[in-house]
Amino acid sequence: MSASLIMAICFASVTLYVSFYYLISYFRIHNRRQDLAFSLMCFSIVLYDLFSAALYGAGSASRGAEWQKWQAVALSVMGIFFLWFISSFVGRKSRVCDHVFSVYWLIQIIVLLTDKHGLTWSDVPAVKHVSLFNKMNITYYEVEPGILMKMLSLSAVLAMLYAIISLIGFYKRENRRITVPILIGVICLTGGMFNDIAISTGIYKSIYLLEFSYMCLVVCMAYALTEDQISAQKALRQSNEKFFNLLDSANDAIFIADAETGIVLDANRKAEDLTGLRKGEITGRQYVDLHPVEDRDRYEKLFKEQITMHGGCIVDDVYAQHRDGRKIPVEISTNVMQMGDRAVVQGIFRDISRRKGVESELMRLAAAVNAAEESIIVTDLDGIIQYVNPCFEKMTGYRRDEVIGKNPRLFKSDKHDKDFYDKMWATISGGKTWRGHFVNKKKDGKLFEEDAVVSPVCAPDGKIVNYVAVKRDVTKQIALEQQLRQSQKMEALGRFAGKIAHDFTNMLVIMFGHSQVLKDKFPEMSDAHENLDEIIAAASRASKLTSELLAFSHDHEVVLRNVDLNKAVIGVEEILRRTVGSGMVVKMHLPEEPLMVKADIAQIEQVIIHLVSNACEAMSAGGQLTIAGSCVRLSKDEVIQLSRGDDDVADGEFAVLSVSDNGTGMTDEVKARIFEPFFTTKKEKKSTGLGLSTVYGIVRQHGGCMTVYSRPGNGTTFEVYLPLRNDAVVQSNGQTESACGDETVLFVAEDSIMKMVGGKILRELGYSVLEATSGKQAINVCQTHEHPIHFMITDLFMSDMAGKDLAGVIRGKKPEMRVLFTSGYPKVHLVERAVVTMEDAVICRPFSKSTLASAIRNVLEA
């Protein structure tokens, strides 16, 4: 056996070992594809070495040619796996060149195996005599290569140059040291190929290196891959150390459990703190044993659900069981991953006891803020609104999404100057709390008043981060305070008027008595007698004024007895008809049932006469006077409509006496002062200004109240409410509290108290209520509300639109909608003034709950 044959077999044996080693390595670590490519490349080299050994043992050119063919096949296969290894090693994304070379070599293999025309090998025999550095002589037999074999040699050289360029670029880009051995091996193989070409063409015979070049390539590549594996193992050990260090230094408890059995495989130090168990006591337990006993069935189901969610999940409604029996609320983040050949579940348990406490506190705070009866606004440093509570929405009419991101100047009423706001901003930006009073504007344009406290909110470092304003709507409170001041003024005036009246009465007695005495001493036709008659007449008029002052001051002796208001009106009817004159028409609408009250008949008659007289003066050109009576039962809320907040007017049953005229009417400014003593709009000396104030004093003295409804050009209606006797029966005409419904009603009322009380009554009756404070707003509500609106209740007289006009607009859009009008005037008065027709549904204010319920049902069921 020749030395060259033994050398080739030895190289094949070593290379075969390397091939199997890296093949096994690939099957152990699947992500190292370069190990598989290297193993297959080595196996191809093994085949080449064995074919070379057979070539060296061939005794003839024909036998040598056969092994030459198989050498070329092995080299083509080796080239394919060689480029695969290089591309995998450098991480080449585009492998177009690899595919070109591989396709070419596959074609060459097919041609080599099927060629019969001398394209690969010629028929010219050749005996090769070479030596290894002139020490070992090698003689073998082969044939001269054909054109395709020469092209195969050229493609192999080009492939080597392509690999060298790729490795140099990878080394520059990644700077990996293990690239150098591979580059050396490839350069050696390239040199060996040039050497083989030189020998094949007969350039020289002294050196033969191809098998040595393949061996050098295998050794260099094996060295590089071994270094890479050693580095990877070292990095893995370091990674494991970091992993376990991180695991034990984590602030959360971490458990790793087998996904199939649920047995805990590992846990960190924080897990020991959470459970009160040592690590050895935790591992080997079932995963669900970490939770309270009573919840384990639920947690076992949850564990199985987590396994199916391979992407992981977060659960916070979970408790961990401590060794001492405590149940600790935790948030669990789970993730299913692969560790070796088994699937495991990693559970991260975060103790959220403190967070739960903070959340509970925040929920209580949020509930308190949402339930607060004060408007709360939070802004940033530029005053941009970031949060408002529900009371703000109720108070201003703006929805939250309409104001978030806006500036509070949206609510400015122009009642405050720039200096007012500058002082406020200077205070709060300086870190101090500002307290003051705003007059602001609602969404519907109405003004309202509010007391406000604006405070800066500071971060732990003392820097201002927000401003918070807490506001209380004091519009009604201020109105009540004004009424209280008016009431106190009236009371003071009453006491003053009573004192004057007593002193004045004493003086009038002297004047009247002495005048009578003097009169008898002068002849009847004398000038003195006539002068004394004038004095006595003046004293008589002054006595009447004194009587009015005493009635206003409640200082007049009152004799209470059962009085039927119907009879009181009828008793003064003759006087009334004389009072009104021939140019006026008096109509009376009195109920058949008696209206029994406890009253002083003389004072009640005085009330009637004063009201009729006042109405006649408002109809100087003639007109119609309507006197009507009725009885109602009113709750405390309904009494608010009448008394405007007077606490001493009790709820219950009332007799109602109304006096209406179709005269000039009054403006709001006049109407606000008509009950003030000595206030009058009549010409000088035509009125003392005590008529209506006297009527008011009498009614209040009898425990009742008064209302007045008037608009310029629409006449005036005064209504007197006096408590009925306890044993008097209120005739409700079949109206019952049970006449409720579930329809949707649009309630239009300009008056804030009317809106509040009326809306409350409607909701108590079961209706869904939409509210508007003007005709335009009511039209907007109808256009934007998505669901049906079954009927509308609207005031007949509003500042922007008459109720009849509003009804016409609404019916044009929603012809099916029913309408109920409200007014302070009696319906008969409105019909006579042609404001409404008899077919229109009208309810007079104030209305009781039962009256409103019945009126609504009558409208809906008509």
Side-chain angles (χ1 to χ4, degrees):
M1 184 178 292
S2 65
S4 58
L5 188 148
I6 294 172
M7 179 189 67
I9 292 174
C10 290
F11 285 170
S13 300
V14 173
T15 306
L16 182 62
Y17 171 79
V18 173
S19 174
F20 277 114
Y21 176 82
Y22 280 97
L23 184 63
I24 294 170
S25 176
Y26 167 75
F27 284 118
R28 289 181 59 199
I29 309 174
H30 293 288
N31 61 340
R32 293 178 59 85
R33 301 189 65 178
Q34 63 265 34
D35 288 357
L36 177 61
F38 179 63
S39 173
L40 295 175
M41 185 192 77
C42 288
F43 188 74
S44 301
I45 293 173
V46 169
L47 293 177
Y48 174 81
D49 288 339
L50 292 176
F51 295 150
S52 296
L55 175 66
Y56 297 148
S60 64
S62 59
R63 290 287 296 168
E66 185 69 23
W67 295 115
Q68 273 184 290
K69 178 178 71 173
W70 289 108
Q71 272 186 323
V73 171
L75 289 178
S76 297
V77 174
M78 177 264 181
I80 293 172
F81 293 129
F82 171 78
L83 288 182
W84 181 17
F85 170 81
I86 296 297
S87 296
S88 298
F89 182 79
V90 302
R92 186 182 290 121
K93 294 180 179 180
S94 175
R95 299 193 178 186
V96 176
C97 290
D98 296 20
H99 296 153
V100 170
F101 280 113
S102 298
V103 169
Y104 175 74
W105 288 330
L106 287 172
I107 294 172
Q108 282 278 31
I109 291 170
I110 296 172
V111 173
L112 282 168
L113 296 176
T114 60
D115 178 43
K116 298 183 183 301
H117 303 289
L119 292 175
T120 53
W121 305 101
S122 68
D123 295 331
V124 180
V127 179
K128 300 293 182 182
H129 300 280
V130 295
S131 64
L132 183 61
F133 303 111
N134 296 316
K135 296 295 182 182
M136 184 173 63
N137 295 319
I138 301 173
T139 301
Y140 59 93
Y141 299 91
E142 62 180 9
V143 295
E144 294 296 332
I147 185 63
L148 291 181
M149 284 304 301
K150 293 177 181 178
M151 291 178 63
L152 177 63
S153 299
L154 179 62
S155 68
V157 172
L158 292 175
M160 292 299 109
L161 295 175
Y162 171 59
I164 291 171
I165 293 170
S166 299
L167 289 169
I168 292 173
F170 178 71
Y171 178 77
K172 289 181 178 180
R173 185 172 67 252
E174 299 290 336
N175 195 25
R176 295 187 63 186
R177 292 187 300 106
I178 62 171
T179 308
V180 176
I182 298 176
L183 185 60
I184 292 172
V186 173
I187 292 173
C188 289
L189 179 60
T190 305
M193 286 184 175
F194 278 113
N195 176 69
D196 186 69
I197 293 171
I199 292 174
S200 297
T201 56
I203 295 176
Y204 61 84
K205 302 179 180 180
S206 60
I207 300 175
Y208 187 73
L209 297 175
L210 191 57
E211 280 79 5
F212 288 96
S213 299
Y214 280 123
M215 193 68 226
C216 180
L217 175 68
V218 170
V219 171
C220 289
M221 285 186 173
Y223 172 79
L225 291 179
T226 302
E227 279 292 307
D228 191 30
Q229 286 185 355
I230 292 171
S231 299
Q233 290 174 356
K234 184 179 179 181
L236 180 61
R237 285 195 301 271
Q238 292 175 346
S239 176
N240 287 337
E241 290 176 1
K242 289 180 181 179
F243 170 74
F244 286 111
N245 288 335
L246 287 172
L247 198 67
D248 284 336
S249 63
N251 291 325
D252 299 323
I254 301 176
F255 301 87
I256 298 176
D258 187 280
E260 184 176 349
T261 64
I263 295 175
V264 179
L265 304 175
D266 203 351
N268 68 343
R269 188 176 294 112
K270 196 69 177 180
E272 298 179 358
D273 298 337
L274 182 69
T275 61
L277 302 172
R278 294 190 301 274
K279 185 174 182 178
E281 296 175 303
I282 297 174
T283 56
R285 285 173 173 257
Q286 285 290 326
Y287 187 86
V288 293
D289 291 345
L290 303 173
H291 303 290
V293 177
E294 61 273 16
D295 292 333
R296 285 179 185 173
D297 291 341
R298 182 169 71 91
Y299 292 138
E300 184 174 5
K301 181 180 178 182
L302 183 63
F303 178 76
K304 293 178 180 178
E305 290 176 353
Q306 291 168 348
I307 294 174
T308 60
M309 300 176 67
H310 290 282
C313 65
I314 298 176
V315 185
D316 60 1
D317 186 20
V318 184
Y319 289 89
Q321 179 70 57
H322 194 272
R323 187 173 200 164
D324 61 9
R326 286 183 293 130
K327 294 171 63 174
I328 302 173
V330 293
E331 177 187 81
I332 302 181
S333 301
T334 61
N335 189 32
V336 180
M337 55 187 181
Q338 199 73 23
M339 290 185 63
D341 58 350
R342 70 165 66 177
V344 298
V345 177
Q346 175 186 276
I348 302 175
F349 286 50
R350 174 166 294 174
D351 187 343
I352 56 173
S353 302
R354 184 176 180 183
R355 192 181 82 186
K356 285 285 187 181
V358 172
E359 287 177 353
S360 179
E361 184 177 346
L362 288 176
M363 287 176 64
R364 288 194 296 270
L365 177 61
V369 170
N370 288 335
E373 289 297 323
E374 288 79 18
S375 166
I376 299 176
I377 306 173
V378 179
T379 72
D380 62 13
L381 296 182
D382 297 323
I384 303 302
I385 298 174
Q386 296 180 324
Y387 170 82
V388 295
N389 69 336
C391 184
F392 166 88
E393 299 178 297
K394 180 180 177 182
M395 186 183 298
T396 65
Y398 286 98
R399 297 192 312 274
R400 180 177 301 181
D401 58 351
E402 292 178 315
V403 297
I404 297 297
K406 302 290 183 64
N407 194 287
R409 69 171 63 95
L410 183 69
F411 320 122
K412 286 179 67 174
S413 63
D414 297 327
K415 296 293 184 180
H416 306 291
D417 56 18
K418 183 176 181 295
D419 185 57
F420 173 86
Y421 294 105
D422 289 344
K423 288 180 179 178
M424 180 195 72
W425 277 105
T427 301
I428 60 178
S429 59
K432 298 179 181 179
T433 298
W434 180 88
R435 290 177 172 82
H437 184 82
F438 284 111
V439 178
N440 279 335
K441 184 169 61 176
K442 297 185 179 183
K443 182 179 180 180
D444 60 9
K446 286 194 172 183
L447 301 183
F448 69 105
E449 302 187 49
E450 52 186 3
D451 288 337
V453 178
V454 185
S455 306
V457 179
C458 299
D461 59 359
K463 185 178 179 181
I464 299 175
V465 293
N466 288 102
Y467 298 110
V468 58
V470 181
K471 302 180 180 182
R472 178 183 290 273
D473 189 344
V474 294
T475 307
K476 296 177 184 177
Q477 178 182 335
I478 290 175
L480 290 174
E481 288 174 356
Q482 291 174 346
Q483 290 179 2
L484 176 61
R485 286 193 293 271
Q486 179 69 11
S487 176
Q488 289 172 339
K489 181 174 72 173
M490 297 278 284
E491 184 179 355
L493 284 171
R495 288 196 298 268
F496 178 66
K499 186 174 182 349
I500 291 176
H502 281 292
D503 293 340
F504 194 38
T505 299
N506 294 333
M507 289 185 287
L508 285 175
V509 169
I510 297 172
M511 293 169 60
F512 196 78
H514 285 287
S515 297
Q516 290 287 351
V517 172
L518 286 173
K519 179 181 175 183
D520 293 336
K521 294 183 179 182
F522 291 96
E524 290 186 5
M525 300 305 294
S526 64
D527 292 339
H529 195 282
E530 292 179 1
N531 291 335
L532 287 171
D533 282 339
E534 290 294 330
I535 293 173
I536 292 170
S540 178
R541 290 193 298 273
S543 176
K544 182 179 179 182
L545 176 60
T546 303
S547 177
E548 290 178 346
L549 285 171
L550 287 172
F552 168 71
S553 67
H554 304 172
D555 205 19
H556 190 77
E557 183 179 359
V558 177
V559 179
L560 297 178
R561 57 192 178 92
N562 292 333
V563 175
D564 182 0
L565 275 184
N566 292 338
K567 292 182 178 180
V569 174
I570 294 171
V572 295
E573 182 178 3
E574 187 61 32
I575 299 174
L576 296 180
R577 294 193 182 278
R578 290 199 304 268
T579 302
V580 300
S582 58
M584 299 181 190
V585 178
V586 178
K587 291 190 176 182
M588 293 192 180
H589 300 276
L590 300 175
E592 296 180 359
E593 66 273 10
L595 301 176
M596 303 302 296
V597 296
K598 279 279 189 180
D600 184 320
I601 184 62
Q603 288 194 344
I604 294 302
E605 290 175 349
Q606 187 178 2
V607 166
I608 298 170
I609 292 172
H610 271 303
L611 291 178
V612 170
S613 176
N614 197 71
C616 292
E617 291 174 356
M619 298 184 294
S620 57
Q624 180 173 294
L625 178 68
T626 304
I627 302 175
S630 62
C631 54
V632 294
R633 183 189 299 274
L634 301 177
S635 67
K636 189 63 179 178
D637 289 332
E638 293 162 339
V639 169
I640 294 175
Q641 299 177 69
L642 309 174
S643 60
R644 297 286 172 170
D646 285 342
D647 293 334
D648 55 348
V649 179
D651 56 336
E653 301 164 346
F654 289 85
V656 185
L657 178 67
S658 66
V659 178
S660 303
D661 65 67
N662 56 2
T664 57
M666 294 180 285
T667 63
D668 291 338
E669 291 77 11
V670 172
K671 190 167 58 175
R673 299 186 61 192
I674 56 174
F675 295 124
E676 291 183 9
F678 309 112
F679 173 78
T680 180
T681 58
K682 300 168 187 173
K683 293 181 179 178
E684 191 176 357
K685 295 184 181 180
K686 290 195 67 176
S687 172
T688 62
L690 285 172
L692 289 176
S693 59
T694 299
V695 169
Y696 180 82
I698 292 172
V699 173
R700 297 291 286 117
Q701 188 178 14
H702 282 75
C705 56
M706 289 185 64
T707 61
V708 57
Y709 303 94
S710 184
R711 284 183 176 269
N714 287 286
T716 302
T717 295
F718 285 95
E719 289 184 330
V720 175
Y721 290 78
L722 297 173
L724 277 171
R725 282 180 49 188
N726 292 334
D727 56 349
V729 178
V730 177
Q731 303 294 327
S732 61
N733 297 326
Q735 298 167 359
T736 64
E737 295 284 346
S738 61
C740 302
D742 58 359
E743 289 88 354
T744 299
V745 56
L746 172 58
F747 185 49
V748 188
E750 281 189 321
D751 184 83
S752 59
I753 295 180
M754 178 64 186
K755 177 183 174 184
M756 176 191 70
V757 177
K760 180 178 179 181
I761 292 173
L762 287 168
R763 291 185 181 93
E764 287 178 354
L765 289 172
Y767 294 103
S768 298
V769 182
L770 305 173
E771 295 181 344
T773 56
S774 65
K776 291 181 180 179
Q777 189 178 2
I779 295 171
N780 185 54
V781 170
C782 285
Q783 292 173 340
T784 58
H785 189 68
E786 297 178 355
H787 302 291
I789 303 176
H790 300 91
F791 65 101
M792 176 176 66
I793 301 176
T794 179
D795 197 347
L796 268 171
F797 300 102
M798 292 183 289
S799 57
D800 67 332
M801 183 182 296
K804 289 283 287 185
D805 295 337
L806 173 61
V809 174
I810 297 296
R811 281 171 172 156
K813 300 177 181 295
K814 298 180 180 290
E816 73 283 358
M817 184 182 291
R818 306 298 180 86
V819 179
L820 174 63
F821 298 107
T822 67
S823 175
Y825 298 106
K827 182 175 181 180
V828 63
H829 174 81
L830 297 170
V831 171
E832 290 165 354
R833 297 283 292 178
V835 178
V836 297
T837 65
M838 288 303 296
E839 288 73 25
D840 291 321
V842 181
I843 184 171
C844 295
R845 299 196 303 267
F847 40 74
S848 66
K849 184 176 179 181
S850 60
T851 304
L852 180 60
S854 180
I856 292 173
R857 297 323 303 175
N858 290 338
V859 171
L860 291 176
E861 296 169 5

